[in-house]
Amino acid sequence: MGAHSHQKDVLSDFGNQWTMFTENRGYYASPQALDSLIQPLLAVKSLQNKWIADVGAGTGRYTRLLHEAGAKAILAMEPSDAFEVLKRNTTGLREIEYLKAPAERIPPLGFDFIFCIGVLQFIEDPRPALVAMGRALKPGGELFLWVYGKEKNGLYLALLNFLRMFSSRLPPK
């Protein structure tokens, strides 16, 4: 199986997941969740009146939170079938533009901030995406990347992999 085929499978899997589980509720969708994610690297108040891109926006959870934090405008990008869920979950929010495209196709519009949360580790070759995101920032703009890590998570991962042996055989709902 080639890299392109693998990438299509990943997009398909996430698209299926996000079109099945569409809601963002509770702490998961709260301003406190955004604050805990970006602190101490970035203060939420620094997002006010900024031009922001949300790369790999999924169901729109962070798009909505960035909007609530006072972003001036947001480009929400999602390449999977969850694109319509993203649009539906952010309907009625002002100054949001949408682009159904992968990270490497982000337009060089001079963003103040680009957020790429939980996405980069799923891109087969992240270099083109990183280069494109770098070009899309204005001078002095900031790229906020968050990726999953395995460091010091051995016990957790062992338990998770054990549970996956059973849970992966259950129907999705």
Side-chain angles (χ1 to χ4, degrees), residues 5 13 32 39 52 74 84 112 117 126 128 142 147-148 158:
S5 177
D13 286 350
Q32 294 80 15
Q39 288 282 351
I52 297 173
I74 300 170
E84 294 304 318
D112 294 298
I117 302 171
E142 298 182 48
V147 295
Y148 299 103

Side-chain angles (χ1 to χ4, degrees), residues 7-8 10-12 14-15 18 54-59 76-84 86 98-105 119 122-123:
Q7 197 66 49
K8 282 180 70 173
V10 169
L11 283 176
S12 177
F14 274 111
W18 289 328
D54 183 7
V55 176
T59 60
M77 294 180 62
E78 176 56 43
S80 79
D81 289 343
F83 187 73
E84 294 304 318
L86 161 67
Y98 302 92
L99 179 60
K100 186 174 184 179
E104 64 267 13
R105 290 197 23 226
V119 172
F122 296 109
I123 298 174

Side-chain angles (χ1 to χ4, degrees), residues 2-161:
H4 182 69
S5 177
H6 171 73
Q7 197 66 49
K8 282 180 70 173
D9 290 345
V10 169
L11 283 176
S12 177
D13 286 350
F14 274 111
N16 289 337
Q17 174 185 333
W18 289 328
T19 54
M20 190 178 306
F21 303 103
T22 62
E23 295 183 21
N24 301 312
R25 294 190 211 156
Y27 177 80
Y28 179 78
S30 72
Q32 294 80 15
L34 177 64
D35 188 56
S36 71
L37 178 75
I38 66 175
Q39 288 282 351
L41 300 174
L42 191 61
V44 171
K45 66 181 179 181
S46 66
L47 304 176
Q48 292 178 355
N49 297 311
K50 301 298 183 189
W51 177 217
I52 297 173
D54 183 7
V55 176
T59 60
R61 170 170 65 134
Y62 286 110
T63 303
R64 180 171 282 284
L65 291 172
L66 294 166
H67 181 271
E68 290 173 7
K72 176 172 58 177
I74 300 170
L75 174 65
M77 294 180 62
E78 176 56 43
S80 79
D81 289 343
F83 187 73
E84 294 304 318
V85 174
L86 161 67
K87 288 170 60 176
R88 188 171 58 245
N89 283 346
T90 56
T91 295
L93 301 181
R94 61 166 181 68
E95 301 300 327
I96 297 183
E97 296 181 34
Y98 302 92
L99 179 60
K100 186 174 184 179
E104 64 267 13
R105 290 197 23 226
I106 186 171
L109 298 176
F111 295 98
D112 294 298
F113 292 100
I114 296 175
F115 285 81
C116 185
I117 302 171
V119 172
L120 201 64
Q121 70 275 3
F122 296 109
I123 298 174
E124 190 76 27
D125 179 6
R127 286 174 293 195
L130 288 167
V131 168
M133 287 187 279
R135 286 187 188 135
L137 288 166
K138 75 175 191 178
E142 298 182 48
L143 174 59
F144 186 93
L145 295 172
W146 186 91
V147 295
Y148 299 103
K150 292 184 179 181
E151 300 82 14
K152 298 183 182 179
N153 288 326
L155 182 59
Y156 168 77
L157 291 172
L159 176 62
L160 183 65
N161 287 331

